[in-house]
Short mmCIF file of all heavy atoms in Angstrom, two decimals:
data_model
loop_
_atom_site.label_atom_id
_atom_site.label_comp_id
_atom_site.label_asym_id
_atom_site.label_seq_id
_atom_site.Cartn_x
_atom_site.Cartn_y
_atom_site.Cartn_z
N ARG A 263 4.83 10.01 -3.66
CA ARG A 263 4.01 9.26 -2.65
C ARG A 263 3.51 7.99 -3.30
O ARG A 263 2.85 7.96 -4.28
CB ARG A 263 2.78 10.08 -2.19
CG ARG A 263 3.14 11.20 -1.32
CD ARG A 263 1.90 12.06 -0.85
NE ARG A 263 1.14 11.29 0.13
CZ ARG A 263 1.33 11.39 1.39
NH1 ARG A 263 2.33 12.21 1.85
NH2 ARG A 263 0.69 10.79 2.25
N VAL A 264 3.98 6.87 -2.68
CA VAL A 264 3.64 5.57 -3.24
C VAL A 264 2.92 4.75 -2.16
O VAL A 264 3.41 4.57 -1.07
CB VAL A 264 4.92 4.76 -3.58
CG1 VAL A 264 4.64 3.42 -4.07
CG2 VAL A 264 5.83 5.53 -4.57
N LEU A 265 1.76 4.39 -2.53
CA LEU A 265 0.92 3.52 -1.67
C LEU A 265 1.07 2.06 -2.03
O LEU A 265 1.01 1.67 -3.21
CB LEU A 265 -0.60 3.90 -1.82
CG LEU A 265 -1.69 2.96 -1.15
CD1 LEU A 265 -1.58 2.97 0.39
CD2 LEU A 265 -3.00 3.42 -1.62
N THR A 267 -1.13 -1.34 -0.75
CA THR A 267 -2.18 -1.80 0.12
C THR A 267 -1.91 -3.24 0.49
O THR A 267 -1.04 -3.98 -0.12
CB THR A 267 -3.52 -1.76 -0.61
OG1 THR A 267 -3.49 -2.77 -1.68
CG2 THR A 267 -3.82 -0.40 -1.17
N VAL A 296 3.57 4.89 1.68
CA VAL A 296 2.32 4.83 2.49
C VAL A 296 1.85 3.36 2.49
O VAL A 296 1.69 2.76 1.39
CB VAL A 296 1.21 5.78 1.85
CG1 VAL A 296 0.00 5.81 2.78
CG2 VAL A 296 1.78 7.16 1.60
N LEU A 297 1.68 2.91 3.66
CA LEU A 297 1.36 1.43 3.88
C LEU A 297 -0.06 1.35 4.44
O LEU A 297 -0.24 1.75 5.61
CB LEU A 297 2.39 0.76 4.76
CG LEU A 297 3.86 0.99 4.38
CD1 LEU A 297 4.72 0.28 5.41
CD2 LEU A 297 4.11 0.47 2.98
N LEU A 298 -0.96 0.73 3.66
CA LEU A 298 -2.38 0.59 4.10
C LEU A 298 -2.61 -0.87 4.42
O LEU A 298 -2.35 -1.79 3.59
CB LEU A 298 -3.33 1.07 3.01
CG LEU A 298 -4.82 0.90 3.32
CD1 LEU A 298 -5.32 1.77 4.41
CD2 LEU A 298 -5.64 1.18 2.03
N ASP A 299 -3.30 -1.10 5.57
CA ASP A 299 -3.80 -2.42 5.85
C ASP A 299 -5.00 -2.23 6.79
O ASP A 299 -5.36 -1.14 7.22
CB ASP A 299 -2.72 -3.31 6.48
CG ASP A 299 -2.89 -4.78 6.03
OD1 ASP A 299 -3.99 -5.32 6.09
OD2 ASP A 299 -1.91 -5.34 5.55
N ILE A 326 4.54 5.90 6.16
CA ILE A 326 3.31 6.19 6.82
C ILE A 326 2.41 5.00 6.88
O ILE A 326 1.81 4.58 5.84
CB ILE A 326 2.54 7.33 6.04
CG1 ILE A 326 3.50 8.61 5.96
CG2 ILE A 326 1.23 7.64 6.71
CD1 ILE A 326 3.00 9.62 5.01
N THR A 328 -1.03 3.13 7.90
CA THR A 328 -2.41 3.58 8.23
C THR A 328 -3.40 2.48 7.95
O THR A 328 -3.17 1.61 7.13
CB THR A 328 -2.68 4.88 7.43
OG1 THR A 328 -3.98 5.37 7.90
CG2 THR A 328 -2.77 4.62 6.00
N ASP A 329 -4.56 2.67 8.62
CA ASP A 329 -5.73 1.83 8.26
C ASP A 329 -6.90 2.67 7.76
O ASP A 329 -7.97 2.19 7.65
CB ASP A 329 -6.09 0.95 9.53
CG ASP A 329 -6.50 1.83 10.69
OD1 ASP A 329 -6.32 3.08 10.65
OD2 ASP A 329 -6.92 1.33 11.72
N LYS A 330 -6.49 3.90 7.38
CA LYS A 330 -7.54 4.83 6.94
C LYS A 330 -7.32 5.26 5.47
O LYS A 330 -6.29 5.69 5.11
CB LYS A 330 -7.52 6.14 7.82
CG LYS A 330 -7.93 5.83 9.26
CD LYS A 330 -7.74 7.13 10.12
CE LYS A 330 -8.07 6.79 11.58
NZ LYS A 330 -7.62 5.56 12.17
N GLU A 331 -8.37 5.01 4.65
CA GLU A 331 -8.19 5.33 3.24
C GLU A 331 -7.94 6.77 2.99
O GLU A 331 -7.20 7.16 2.06
CB GLU A 331 -9.51 4.90 2.53
CG GLU A 331 -9.61 3.37 2.28
CD GLU A 331 -10.80 3.00 1.53
OE1 GLU A 331 -11.78 3.79 1.40
OE2 GLU A 331 -10.82 1.81 1.01
N GLU A 332 -8.55 7.71 3.81
CA GLU A 332 -8.33 9.14 3.53
C GLU A 332 -6.89 9.57 3.79
O GLU A 332 -6.39 10.50 3.14
CB GLU A 332 -9.29 10.01 4.34
CG GLU A 332 -9.19 9.92 5.84
CD GLU A 332 -10.02 8.72 6.43
OE1 GLU A 332 -10.44 7.83 5.75
OE2 GLU A 332 -10.18 8.84 7.73
N VAL A 333 -6.15 8.89 4.62
CA VAL A 333 -4.79 9.04 4.87
C VAL A 333 -3.95 8.43 3.63
O VAL A 333 -3.07 9.00 3.11
CB VAL A 333 -4.27 8.49 6.19
CG1 VAL A 333 -2.78 8.56 6.37
CG2 VAL A 333 -5.01 9.27 7.29
N ALA A 334 -4.33 7.12 3.46
CA ALA A 334 -3.57 6.30 2.48
C ALA A 334 -3.64 6.87 1.09
O ALA A 334 -2.51 6.88 0.34
CB ALA A 334 -4.09 4.88 2.50
N PHE A 335 -4.69 7.38 0.65
CA PHE A 335 -4.86 7.82 -0.79
C PHE A 335 -4.55 9.26 -1.05
O PHE A 335 -4.59 9.68 -2.19
CB PHE A 335 -6.20 7.40 -1.30
CG PHE A 335 -6.40 5.89 -1.46
CD1 PHE A 335 -6.82 5.10 -0.42
CD2 PHE A 335 -6.06 5.34 -2.69
CE1 PHE A 335 -6.95 3.70 -0.59
CE2 PHE A 335 -6.18 3.93 -2.87
CZ PHE A 335 -6.73 3.14 -1.83
N LYS A 336 -4.29 10.03 0.03
CA LYS A 336 -4.13 11.49 -0.10
C LYS A 336 -2.92 11.84 -0.95
O LYS A 336 -1.83 11.40 -0.67
CB LYS A 336 -3.99 12.11 1.29
CG LYS A 336 -3.82 13.65 1.23
CD LYS A 336 -4.45 14.36 2.42
CE LYS A 336 -4.32 15.83 2.32
NZ LYS A 336 -4.75 16.45 1.09
N ASP A 337 -3.12 12.58 -2.02
CA ASP A 337 -2.11 13.12 -2.85
C ASP A 337 -1.13 12.08 -3.43
O ASP A 337 0.02 12.34 -3.64
CB ASP A 337 -1.24 14.20 -2.14
CG ASP A 337 -2.09 15.41 -1.66
OD1 ASP A 337 -3.05 15.76 -2.47
OD2 ASP A 337 -1.84 16.03 -0.64
N LEU A 338 -1.62 10.87 -3.78
CA LEU A 338 -0.83 9.79 -4.23
C LEU A 338 -0.31 10.08 -5.65
O LEU A 338 -1.03 10.57 -6.49
CB LEU A 338 -1.63 8.50 -4.33
CG LEU A 338 -1.74 7.75 -3.05
CD1 LEU A 338 -2.52 6.41 -3.34
CD2 LEU A 338 -0.47 7.48 -2.31
N ILE A 340 1.49 7.24 -6.97
CA ILE A 340 1.45 5.80 -7.39
C ILE A 340 0.65 4.95 -6.42
O ILE A 340 0.84 5.17 -5.18
CB ILE A 340 2.90 5.15 -7.41
CG1 ILE A 340 3.87 6.06 -8.22
CG2 ILE A 340 2.89 3.71 -7.88
CD1 ILE A 340 3.74 6.01 -9.68
N TYR A 376 -9.25 11.35 -3.22
CA TYR A 376 -8.05 11.86 -2.48
C TYR A 376 -6.79 11.92 -3.30
O TYR A 376 -5.95 12.74 -2.97
CB TYR A 376 -7.85 10.94 -1.22
CG TYR A 376 -8.98 10.89 -0.26
CD1 TYR A 376 -9.69 9.72 -0.13
CD2 TYR A 376 -9.35 12.01 0.47
CE1 TYR A 376 -10.75 9.71 0.81
CE2 TYR A 376 -10.40 11.98 1.35
CZ TYR A 376 -11.10 10.82 1.51
OH TYR A 376 -12.14 10.77 2.35
#
Side-chain angles (χ1 to χ4, degrees):
R263 288 180 73 89
V264 179
L265 168 67
T267 68
V296 185
L297 309 178
L298 175 67
D299 216 309
I326 303 168
T328 187
D329 58 357
K330 295 173 179 46
E331 286 183 340
E332 62 273 17
V333 173
F335 289 88
K336 180 148 182 50
D337 297 329
L338 281 185
I340 309 287
Y376 301 111

